[in-house]
Amino acid sequence: VYTSEKYSSSRSKYSPLVLKSDDGGETWETIYTSPDKAMFTSITTDKTGNVYLAMRSAAIGGKLVALKYSGIGTSWNYIGSNEGISSDTANHISIKVHNGKMYAACKDFGVGGAVVYVCSLKTGVWEALGNSAASEGDASDIDLLISQSGTIYISYCDESFSRKTSVRYYDATEGWKYLGSRGISSDIGTYPKLAETDDGIAVLY
């Protein structure tokens, strides 16, 4: 059984790597090396231990790509197209897998803000969740959380709102809504991270 703790992704001078350890970190095996320079890597696993990777790939103009590990050697397969998921350059990538779908949040320069892309792992077809941007205006330092009930949340540095931290969630009827008010930090709030607690959603910034 694989867990996310057994995997790490890192950005190096040349390309990101994915390493695997089967012995609690005593030894590490390289299972992925990007053939081209890539940035803003994100890695996750699903409940059965499958491993997923997403990144901004220089080979296709900095667009977002996502891959799934075959479980053998260094073999990975693209999820959907290898031509890029985002409409343009993608930064601040965060991915999760839930109920047979992969979610990838990023700043899409073609949209001008945060977008959460979603893909059925059966069909490999990607689309923007709600067919719209997830932020009102520019965003950076994006984090993605899917609660146990299946609600999708994002947090980000709200570049269009005094760089404060904002948290939004997706409502199937009304689209993207703020959790509380826009800009919950008293001042600039960078690199926010989300977590689910017994009392609700927590955000660190």
Side-chain angles (χ1 to χ4, degrees):
V1 177
Y2 294 117
T3 65
S4 59
E5 288 79 39
K6 291 187 178 181
Y7 293 83
S8 69
S9 66
S10 64
R11 175 185 168 192
S12 69
K13 180 178 179 182
Y14 300 103
S15 61
L17 305 173
V18 178
L19 310 178
K20 181 182 78 168
S21 175
D22 292 322
D23 55 12
E26 292 294 324
T27 59
W28 291 89
E29 171 192 1
T30 299
I31 60 172
Y32 179 80
T33 303
S34 175
D36 298 286
K37 187 174 180 180
M39 300 170 64
F40 297 103
T41 56
S42 182
I43 195 166
T44 193
T45 59
D46 61 24
K47 290 183 178 180
T48 60
N50 293 305
V51 186
Y52 304 85
L53 172 68
M55 57 192 170
R56 166 181 145 178
S57 174
I60 53 171
K63 290 184 178 182
L64 169 69
V65 294
L67 304 97
K68 178 182 179 181
Y69 182 46
S70 71
I72 302 173
T74 58
S75 176
W76 293 72
N77 299 306
Y78 283 98
I79 300 173
S81 173
N82 62 356
E83 298 298 318
I85 299 161
S86 55
S87 65
D88 204 334
T89 301
N91 286 1
H92 310 290
I93 296 164
S94 180
I95 61 171
K96 295 288 186 293
V97 174
H98 182 76
N99 283 350
K101 294 181 179 180
M102 184 173 186
Y103 297 82
C106 68
K107 174 181 176 177
D108 187 333
F109 280 79
V111 176
V115 181
V116 177
Y117 290 101
V118 60
C119 171
S120 166
L121 294 173
K122 289 184 178 180
T123 65
V125 177
W126 288 93
E127 61 181 0
L129 187 62
N131 296 310
S132 66
S135 64
E136 292 186 297
D138 198 7
S140 63
D141 304 339
I142 300 161
D143 193 33
L144 172 68
L145 171 72
I146 303 177
S147 70
Q148 292 186 9
S149 65
T151 302
I152 296 97
Y153 297 86
I154 61 165
S155 61
Y156 53 92
C157 176
D158 199 333
E159 301 286 351
S160 299
F161 198 74
S162 302
R163 303 198 69 211
K164 293 184 177 183
T165 290
S166 288
V167 181
R168 303 195 90 185
Y169 67 96
Y170 183 72
D171 182 279
T173 302
E174 300 182 46
W176 288 101
K177 302 178 67 176
Y178 288 102
L179 187 63
S181 60
R182 183 178 185 179
I184 61 173
S185 58
S186 59
D187 202 341
I188 294 172
T190 57
Y191 302 103
K193 298 295 180 184
L194 292 169
E196 185 175 18
T197 74
D198 291 340
D199 298 318
I201 302 300
V203 59
L204 164 72
Y205 56 87

